[in-house]
Amino acid sequence: MTETHDSPSALFVCVHNAGRSQMAAGFLRELSGGAVEVRSAGSMPAEQINPVAVEAMQEVGIDITAERPKVLTTEAVRDSDVVITMGCGDACPVFPGKRYEDWELADPAGQGIDAVRPIRDDIEQRIRGLLDSLGIQPVR
């Protein structure tokens, strides 16, 4: 039996943890089939997930309606192998030996579904690249 820490872990961070980071976490959970431990957080979490982000993900068969924005903690960063930031600037703590990536993505906040779909699709491609770099075959 393998222990949880044997799996790679990823943390997605954006300011509100309501759109981009939630979509990325949803894609990674779904496409990794549980092979990656997934976390997401925000430096200033919103009250709720962006409903347009939820709708965009439902269009591709991924349900993130149960997710809630969470505050970024030092522990979440420390416990993650890969930390992917999405426009949170200097709010993310940096630990030596961690793999950090900064994904330049448009913010879906206040955008309609037609503007959010290309952001969602960009995130999906980046997640597939992340899985490849971790040596994990996507389940779909």
Side-chain angles (χ1 to χ4, degrees), residues 18-98:
R20 294 166 290 190
S21 56
Q22 292 286 356
M23 289 191 287
F27 272 122
L28 187 56
R29 267 193 297 276
E30 181 75 19
L31 296 176
S32 74
V36 178
E37 189 178 342
V38 181
R39 299 178 181 92
S40 72
S43 52
M44 294 172 29
E47 292 292 314
Q48 65 180 32
I49 290 189
N50 180 338
V52 182
V54 171
E55 180 185 350
M57 293 300 285
Q58 285 174 330
E59 289 182 351
V60 295
I62 298 175
D63 184 3
I64 60 170
T65 54
E67 299 301 321
R68 297 287 171 257
K70 294 169 281 304
V71 70
L72 176 65
T73 64
T74 302
E75 293 76 30
V77 176
R78 189 181 55 231
D79 294 344
S80 299
D81 298 314
V82 182
V83 178
I84 297 169
T85 58
M86 304 168 171
C88 69
D90 297 330
C92 302
V94 175
F95 290 93
K98 294 276 174 220

